[in-house]
Each structure stands twice: as structure tokens, then as C-alpha cells.
């Protein structure tokens, strides 16, 4: 099945890697990152776009549609989704470039999915042939469009909830799903939220097993998914009504070692919930704080969303790298596409066990002995950073790596999607 243009469950439990990466975090004023950016330039406009270097893409743009496409992506990066959609719709209608037209179409659908604009997506895709795989991929949107509008009912004060770590290190918190108490993972790289099939039945979720699609995972495996809506999801004093989720067979959310089940996931609070709150993961005190995001002027935005949450890291010379934010991954890692961008020539070799919905896989890696990046006012100093082979996807942006939950350790991670904030304290 082809990738769903608006469908962002691309890495459900992405990159739950087991490796020997060591990380030290310190204030940026202490010393500068040790890595320098390569002086290589992009071959063309498309290469600059896929690396999300909008300044360079703007310089390389020759056609009006290329200039407008960059403008639309910049509005997206700044969180101005309505403006971004308007610009990209103009590009989609007027461009003669099939690559720009295709990615304008996909990005518009992605943005509407992010905003739960189900009817907009259906109208935009109305001419799809019912016999094509692309039409069948609208199964989620068709189901979600039948439900009432989603609601977030925040308490007056900040919620502070006890937090536990899963065996893989991911944050786990108690929730109530239609009145039944369970423990859900908090995974920024899963979207929509996920419910295991056995819990979906017990909690009375209404879903049609015939409305089945597929999603890729962190491995080469694919899993079947069925759309559903949780009538009421309670996370402490926060109540979410009519929350879109996907149901996955419980067997695909179990992980075994030597035939013995070591992890069972009942559900996941995914990005489509996290994007609507200000979240603080405090691994020093094992607490999860949730509050309503308050709009703020933030010229230093470093978190944006394009098919997945992406954090901008900086090298010593201020150049940007794009790392996916994945609290479901226990280790930060890089992808092979980062190598031409950094001046690292010496590597070790090793392997990782990558886990996702559907199982585990062994991956052969290169290992960077020492490298540092800047995240806001913090420096992330890595020893033995694993570099996985490039994953073939249809995503517009080629990510340079994944920021896993090990960036927190005994610190706090603040995520505020509305204001474009990802910060370590």
C-alpha cells in the first residue's frame, strides 16, 4: 500500500533502539559543540527543500512556483497553518512542476489532518478513483469525519501526574479510556494515538474491522490499523472527548524475548493529542506535567511539524539539522543522510535492535565516536552515536536523525507545539 499523503503514523514506535550511546548535556556557554558543518552545497532546489534549508532553497528558486513553495513551507515552519495552506493551494493549482505539485498536494492534506479538517480532506480528494489504493487510504478520514468535533477540557491549574518508565525508557502514565484505567505510553512520534485491539473491545470503542489500512513502522514491517474514536480519554484532570485513534492488533503491540513477553502496550498518547498541550517530562522527579498552551511571541522556534514533529539542532557554525522528536525511542540516533553534512571521517561499526509495532529487527550501523549538537541553550555531547541506514520513505523532509528520550535522563523536556518549543532544562 502506498503512503497515505496526510497519514502521519509512519513510525509508530519509532527507533526503539538498544545501543551503547552515551550522552552528556550541558549549558551552551560552557563550551562549543565539536562538530563543524561540511562546506558542500546542494545540487539543486529539490535537494535544498528535502534538507529543509529554506534559505538555500529560496536562493536556488528560479520559477515563481518554487518561490511560492518555499514561502508556504516557511509559513508552516512558523506555525501559520492557515496561511501555509492558502499559499500551497495556489502553488498546487498553478505549478507545472510535477514534483512541487505532488508535494503541495500531500502537504495540504498533512496540514488538514493535523488540524482535524476531515471534510476538507475528503473534498480535496473527491476525484480519486474508488478502485485505487489511494482511495482506500482515506479510510481513516472517512471514519473520523463521522464523529463529533474533538474537545480538550483543561483544568484551571497545571496537571502534575506520576510518571513511570517503560522497559525501553519511554514515559508511561495512567489514563482512563471510557472509564477504564490503563497505562499509556507518551510517544511524540505516534500519530494518531493508538489503542490495542483487546482494550478497544473492553472499552467499548466502535470500530469496523473491515475498515482496515496499513502503516509502516520503525522496521520494514507493516501493521494493520483500524480507525476509531475514543468518546472520553482522561489524563488526570484533562478530559479529551471524541479523540481520533487507530486500533492495532494486540499481538503487534507485544514484544518478546526468548519467547517470553516483556512489553505489552495497551495504548499510546500520540502527537495528535500532545500537539494540543504544553507537556513537561521530568525524569528527575518522575513527573508528567500538562497544561494548556498559551500563545507567546517566540522568534526562536525550534520545533515544527511536517509529517512528524521535527526539532532543529545546530552545529558549531550555526547550520541546522532536522531531527525527528520521538519519546518512544530510548536512544538518539542519526540517519546515513547526515554524513555528507558533517566533517566526520572515522567510524566504528556495530548494530542496533530496532523495535516497532509488529516486532524487532537487527540493523547494521556505523558509529560516530564523538559528536556534539546544540539544542537551544544546551549542548548534546554524544559518545558512540549510532548511524542507521537511510529509510526509504515518501516524506518531503529527509531527517538527519531521531531525538530519543535519552536526551532527558535526569532532566526535564518541555514540548509546546503551538509555540514551536522543544527545550531541555
Amino acid at each position: 500500500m502506498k503512503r497515505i499523503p496526510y497519514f502521519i503514523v509512519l513510525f509508530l514506535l519509532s527507533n526503539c533502539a538498544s545501543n551503547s550511546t552515551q550522552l552528556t548535556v550541558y549549558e551552551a556557554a560552557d563550551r562549543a559543540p565539536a562538530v563543524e558543518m561540511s562546506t558542500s552545497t546542494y545540487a539543486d532546489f529539490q535537494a535544498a527543500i528535502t534538507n529543509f534549508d529554506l534559505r538555500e532553497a529560496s536562493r536556488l528558486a528560479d520559477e515563481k512556483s518554487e518561490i511560492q513553495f518555499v514561502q508556504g513551507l516557511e509559513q508552516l515552519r512558523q506555525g501559520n497553518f492557515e496561511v501555509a495552506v492558502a499559499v500551497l493551494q495556489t502553488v498546487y493549482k498553478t505549478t507545472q512542476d510535477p514534483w512541487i505539485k505532488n508535494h503541495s498536494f500531500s502537504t495540504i492534506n498533512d496540514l488538514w489532518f493535523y488540524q482535524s479538517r476531515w471534510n476538507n480532506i475528503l473534498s480535496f480528494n473527491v476525484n480519486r478513483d474508488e478502485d485505487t489504493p489511494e482511495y482506500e487510504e482515506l479510510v481513516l478520514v472517512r471514519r473520523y469525519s463521522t464523529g463529533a468535533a474533538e474537545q480538550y477540557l483543561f483544568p484551571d491549574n497545571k496537571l502534575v501526574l506520576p510518571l513511570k518508565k517503560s522497559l525501553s525508557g519511554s514515559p508511561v502514565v495512567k489514563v482512563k479510556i471510557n472509564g477504564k484505567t490503563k497505562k499509556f505510553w507518551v510517544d511524540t512520534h505516534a500519530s494518531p494515538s493508538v489503542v490495542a485491539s483487546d482494550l478497544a473491545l473492553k472499552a467499548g470503542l466502535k470500530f469496523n474491522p473491515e475498515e482496515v489500512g496499513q502503516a509502516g513502522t520503525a522496521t520494514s514491517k507493516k501493521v494493520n490499523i483500524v480507525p476509531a474514536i475514543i468518546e472520553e480519554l482522561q489524563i488526570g484532570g484533562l478530559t479529551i472527548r471524541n479523540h481520533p485513534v487507530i486500533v492495532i492488533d494486540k499481538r503487534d503491540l507485544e514484544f518478546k524475548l526468548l519467547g517470553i513477553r516483556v512489553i505489552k502496550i495497551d495504548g499510546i498518547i500520540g502527537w495528535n493529542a500532545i500537539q494540543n498541550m504544553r507537556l513537561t517530562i521530568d525524569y528527575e522527579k518522575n513527573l508528567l506535567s500538562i497544561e494548556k498552551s498559551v500563545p507567546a511571541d517566540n522568534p526562536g522556534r525550534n520545533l515544527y511539524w511536517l509529517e512528524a514533529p521535527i526539532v532543529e539542532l545546530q552545529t558549531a557554525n550555526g547550520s541546522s539539522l532536522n531531527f525527528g522528536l520521538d519519546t518512544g525511542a530510548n536512544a538518539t540516533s542519526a540517519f546515513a543522510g547526515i554524513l555528507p553534512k558533517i566533517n566526520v571521517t572515522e567510524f566504528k561499526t556495530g548494530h542496533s535492535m530496532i523495535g516497532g509495532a509488529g516486532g524487532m529487527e537487527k540493523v547494521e550501523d556505523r558509529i560516530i565516536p564523538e559528536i556534539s549538537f546544540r539544542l537551544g541553550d544546551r549542548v548534546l555531547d554524544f559518545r558512540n552515536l549510532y548511524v542507521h541506514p537511510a529509510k526509504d520513505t515518501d516524506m518531503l523532509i529527509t531527517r538527519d536523525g531521531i531525538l530519543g528520550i535519552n536526551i532527558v535522563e535526569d532532566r526535564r523536556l518541555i514540548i509546546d507545539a503551538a509555540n514551536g518549543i522543544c527545550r531541555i532544562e
Side-chain angles (χ1 to χ4, degrees):
M1 181 172 284
K2 297 180 180 179
R3 174 183 169 273
I4 303 172
Y6 50 82
F7 182 37
I8 53 178
V9 184
L10 197 56
F11 305 94
L12 282 173
L13 302 175
S14 175
N15 191 41
C16 301
S18 175
N19 59 42
S20 59
T21 299
Q22 298 175 359
L23 171 63
T24 303
V25 178
Y26 51 86
E27 292 187 11
D30 292 347
R31 52 193 171 102
V35 64
E36 289 287 345
M37 199 73 168
S38 169
T39 58
S40 62
T41 58
Y42 303 113
D44 53 26
F45 173 80
Q46 289 187 17
I49 288 291
T50 56
N51 284 279
F52 213 61
D53 188 335
L54 299 184
R55 179 180 299 179
E56 186 66 9
S58 181
R59 187 186 70 81
L60 293 169
D62 292 325
E63 304 294 332
K64 181 178 180 180
S65 63
E66 292 178 338
I67 296 171
Q68 291 176 323
F69 189 58
V70 174
Q71 291 171 343
L73 293 180
E74 181 58 37
Q75 291 296 328
L76 180 154
R77 181 180 175 276
Q78 295 299 325
N80 301 322
F81 296 145
E82 299 291 348
V83 178
V85 167
V87 173
L88 293 172
Q89 281 181 310
T90 298
V91 174
Y92 175 72
K93 293 174 182 177
T94 60
T95 185
Q96 300 301 311
D97 185 319
W99 187 85
I100 291 179
K101 191 177 189 70
N102 176 62
H103 283 294
S104 295
F105 177 83
S106 296
T107 304
I108 291 167
N109 278 306
D110 286 334
L111 287 170
W112 277 335
F113 194 96
Y114 187 97
Q115 297 173 292
S116 302
R117 302 287 180 84
W118 315 125
N119 290 328
N120 288 29
I121 296 173
L122 292 174
S123 297
F124 199 44
N125 292 268
V126 69
N127 293 323
R128 286 194 182 276
D129 188 335
E130 294 189 22
D131 295 327
T132 63
E134 288 87 352
Y135 183 87
E136 291 303 317
E137 289 166 351
L138 292 168
V139 60
L140 273 72
V141 173
R142 291 198 298 269
R143 173 65 182 93
Y144 298 154
S145 69
T146 65
E150 188 176 19
Q151 293 179 296
Y152 284 75
L153 306 177
F154 287 88
D156 293 335
N157 300 316
K158 178 193 294 187
L159 285 171
V160 181
L161 306 173
L163 177 69
K164 291 188 176 181
K165 297 181 184 179
S166 70
L167 287 179
S168 70
S170 300
V172 179
V173 66
K174 283 186 179 180
V175 305
K176 285 188 177 181
I177 171 173
N178 292 345
K180 294 190 176 296
T181 301
K182 288 292 180 180
K183 294 179 181 179
F184 274 25
W185 289 31
V186 179
D187 189 347
T188 55
H189 222 274
S191 187
S193 298
V194 177
V195 179
S197 57
D198 55 342
L199 175 57
L201 291 171
K202 293 176 183 177
L205 269 64
K206 297 178 182 178
F207 61 95
N208 181 358
E210 299 300 319
E211 294 181 333
V212 63
Q214 282 192 324
T217 69
T219 68
S220 61
K221 297 180 174 64
K222 293 184 181 293
V223 294
N224 289 336
I225 58 173
V226 178
I229 297 174
I230 299 176
E231 293 182 6
E232 185 172 276
L233 177 64
Q234 294 176 293
I235 310 172
L238 168 63
T239 298
I240 307 174
R241 292 177 179 160
N242 309 312
H243 184 52
V245 299
I246 54 173
V247 177
I248 296 180
D249 191 306
K250 66 175 184 178
R251 292 168 295 184
D252 288 326
L253 294 173
E254 296 177 348
F255 299 86
K256 296 181 179 181
L257 183 63
L258 301 177
I260 301 174
R261 189 178 75 188
V262 293
I263 295 177
K264 180 184 185 300
I265 301 173
D266 287 317
I268 299 170
I269 301 170
W271 186 254
N272 63 321
I274 296 168
Q275 71 186 43
N276 294 299
M277 60 186 75
R278 181 183 174 93
L279 190 73
T280 301
I281 300 171
D282 186 342
Y283 268 5
E284 181 180 10
K285 299 180 180 178
N286 288 323
L287 296 173
L288 180 75
S289 300
I290 298 174
E291 57 190 314
K292 187 174 182 178
S293 180
V294 177
D297 182 19
N298 178 27
R301 297 175 70 98
N302 68 344
L303 171 65
Y304 65 92
W305 180 89
L306 184 53
E307 303 167 316
I310 297 177
V311 178
E312 291 183 347
L313 304 181
Q314 278 73 45
T315 61
N317 63 3
S319 299
S320 293
L321 299 172
N322 300 293
F323 273 62
L325 178 61
D326 188 356
T327 57
N330 73 344
T332 297
S333 58
F335 293 138
I338 197 176
L339 298 180
K341 305 177 185 180
I342 55 177
N343 291 323
V344 175
T345 57
E346 294 184 5
F347 302 93
K348 297 185 286 187
T349 59
H351 71 270
S352 296
M353 294 302 298
I354 307 295
M360 307 284 290
E361 275 186 355
K362 183 178 179 179
V363 178
E364 299 299 324
D365 297 312
R366 280 180 281 187
I367 303 171
I368 300 175
E370 181 178 356
I371 195 167
S372 299
F373 306 116
R374 190 188 303 267
L375 171 57
D377 62 355
R378 294 292 188 271
V379 171
L380 310 180
D381 192 358
F382 292 96
R383 298 293 185 274
N384 297 325
L385 180 67
Y386 280 58
V387 182
H388 303 319
K391 188 175 178 68
D392 182 22
T393 77
D394 293 328
M395 294 178 73
L396 174 60
I397 302 302
T398 301
R399 298 166 307 149
D400 296 303
I402 289 289
L403 280 180
I405 197 63
N406 66 324
I407 65 172
V408 182
E409 295 293 343
D410 57 352
R411 295 168 287 273
R412 297 194 303 166
L413 176 65
I414 297 172
I415 303 168
D416 185 347
N419 289 304
I421 295 171
C422 179
R423 185 169 70 238
I424 297 174
E425 293 183 345

